[in-house]
Amino acid sequence: MSRNLINTVLIALGLALAASAVAQPLTKLVFYTNWFAQAEHGGFYQAVAQGIYNKHGIEVEIRMGGPQVNGLQLLAAGEMDLFMGYDIQTLGALEQGVPLVTVAATFQKDPAVLISHPGPKRLEDLKGKPIFIAPASNTTFWPWLVARYGFPMRRSAPMRSACSRFSPTRPPRSRAM
């Protein structure tokens, strides 16, 4: 091999390596959690703080969900790229033809609960009482409760994040369903 050919090959390799070392623009990604910031989300926030996503070419913006955020609707509308969703909600959306892909399971069980003032002992005892639920519940457990226990599909009011209505120093407010 001639010296000129070797030099040409080495220069070409050097240029190829230099070109690949040029910083590529980060891929932007909007990720919604399923609730306000809490311990279960810590790993996502820590990865942003430590630059782990950036190191892998992704610029992640984390936005908090909450009781009035319907992540599935925002995802379907293109307002976010990833959502920490719910198992039943995802299965229901797929059943209706919504194009979703589940990439991970962050919880082994769905942490949904119903909390009431003293009195009701069974779910059917809640019929006729105000029930406050988060919008995401409209596509998770609420349709099942409606079908199984005959609750009206229209609930009295959306749930708020505060538990103040359960305070023993404040009398409960009553609303008709």
Side-chain angles (χ1 to χ4, degrees):
M1 222 188 260
S2 76
R3 188 160 183 82
N4 286 341
L5 182 58
I6 292 173
N7 285 340
T8 303
V9 170
L10 289 175
I11 290 171
L13 284 172
L15 289 173
L17 288 172
S20 67
V22 173
Q24 300 294 320
L26 297 175
T27 300
K28 294 185 180 206
L29 190 82
V30 177
F31 169 60
Y32 268 77
T33 61
N34 60 346
W35 199 249
F36 301 125
Q38 54 188 320
E40 291 85 9
H41 308 148
F44 301 115
Y45 289 101
Q46 190 63 32
V48 169
Q50 290 185 327
I52 294 171
Y53 296 126
N54 290 1
K55 180 180 167 185
H56 293 281
I58 308 168
E59 181 182 331
V60 177
E61 177 187 347
I62 300 176
R63 296 181 188 168
M64 292 185 288
Q68 302 305 321
V69 176
N70 189 319
L72 186 59
Q73 289 177 348
L74 291 171
L75 183 65
E79 295 295 317
M80 69 175 85
D81 301 299
L82 290 171
F83 173 60
M84 182 186 284
Y86 301 94
D87 48 3
I88 297 171
Q89 182 183 39
T90 301
L91 292 172
L94 289 171
E95 189 175 66
Q96 295 173 26
V98 178
L100 299 175
V101 175
T102 298
V103 295
T106 55
F107 291 111
Q108 291 178 332
K109 297 180 181 178
D110 193 341
V113 298
L114 290 176
I115 303 169
S116 77
H117 288 285
K121 303 287 184 220
R122 304 168 308 180
L123 284 172
E124 42 272 49
D125 295 342
L126 295 173
K127 195 168 181 183
K129 307 240 187 259
I131 298 175
F132 299 87
I133 62 170
S137 302
N138 288 318
T139 55
T140 58
F141 66 86
W142 185 248
W144 176 80
L145 287 174
V146 168
R148 175 71 170 84
Y149 294 101
F151 294 132
M153 191 59 183
R154 186 177 163 271
R155 62 199 190 286
S156 62
M159 183 200 76
R160 293 181 215 106
S161 61
C163 292
S164 59
R165 68 181 46 133
F166 290 100
S167 170
T169 60
R170 187 176 143 183
R173 288 185 279 160
S174 177
R175 291 187 198 177
M177 286 188 88

